[in-house]
Amino acid sequence: VPPSMQLDDLYRHFERGVAFVLMAGMVVVIALAVWSFLRATGTAAADPAAALDYPVFQTLFDRLLAAIIALELAHSVQLMVAGRRGLVQLRAVLAIGVLAVVRKLILIDIGSVDPLLLVGLSAVIVALAAALAALSWVQRRAEVERLPSPGAEE
């Protein structure tokens, strides 16, 4: 067996071990995020007067998006372990970016924020949307190229 194949196998085992440790940590993070969301929801539901306040909604959406982002990160690690790299993993990373920016926009106090921060966040949203659109185009094109032509022999 060539040494390069041994090194590749060793690295693959190392990568899987690291991914396993990351996944175990993500399970804890997801559980904590879900618990935090449920606790905040229970607190808001117990006080009907406060349930309509904007800061309460901010807290609830912050906790919800934190749990969703943690799930997406875990999914990205799972894709890595399964060996599904490339466009599938790129889509997961872009989705995490979109969720993180949306979370930031929900938490931000528009009245007291520097306008340049809003311009920067807007640029990030446009860039992420463009990347997702380009990725979708590439994936659709790849699917069309894999399909047999009508009337072609198989």
Side-chain angles (χ1 to χ4, degrees):
V1 178
S4 64
M5 287 184 71
Q6 290 175 344
L7 188 59
D8 287 346
D9 286 342
L10 181 64
Y11 180 76
R12 207 169 303 122
H13 288 300
F14 170 75
E15 187 178 59
R16 285 182 182 254
V18 169
F20 178 77
V21 170
L22 290 174
M23 192 61 104
M26 287 306 302
V27 167
V28 173
V29 170
I30 292 167
L32 289 172
V34 169
W35 172 249
S36 179
F37 171 70
L38 292 174
R39 195 176 63 218
T41 303
T43 302
D47 186 7
L52 299 177
D53 291 341
Y54 183 70
V56 172
F57 282 117
Q58 275 184 312
T59 300
L60 289 175
F61 280 112
D62 172 43
R63 306 287 164 75
L64 176 65
L65 287 171
I68 293 171
I69 290 169
L71 279 171
E72 281 296 324
L73 281 169
H75 181 68
S76 180
V77 171
Q78 180 189 15
L79 289 173
M80 182 183 72
V81 170
R84 296 186 62 200
R85 292 184 167 82
L87 298 180
V88 174
Q89 198 168 18
L90 179 59
R91 180 175 290 283
V93 170
L94 290 172
I96 292 166
V98 169
L99 288 169
V101 173
V102 167
R103 182 174 180 236
K104 179 69 175 172
L105 287 172
I106 288 173
L107 294 177
I108 208 166
D109 181 13
I110 297 291
S112 65
V113 72
D114 182 13
L116 283 178
L117 177 64
L118 294 177
V119 170
L121 288 173
S122 300
V124 170
I125 290 170
V126 169
L128 287 170
L132 279 169
L135 181 62
S136 294
W137 180 80
V138 167
Q139 285 180 317
R140 275 195 307 271
R141 187 168 174 136
E143 287 173 9
V144 167
E145 290 175 0
R146 280 194 301 255
L147 294 175
S149 300
E153 300 280 329
E154 287 192 34

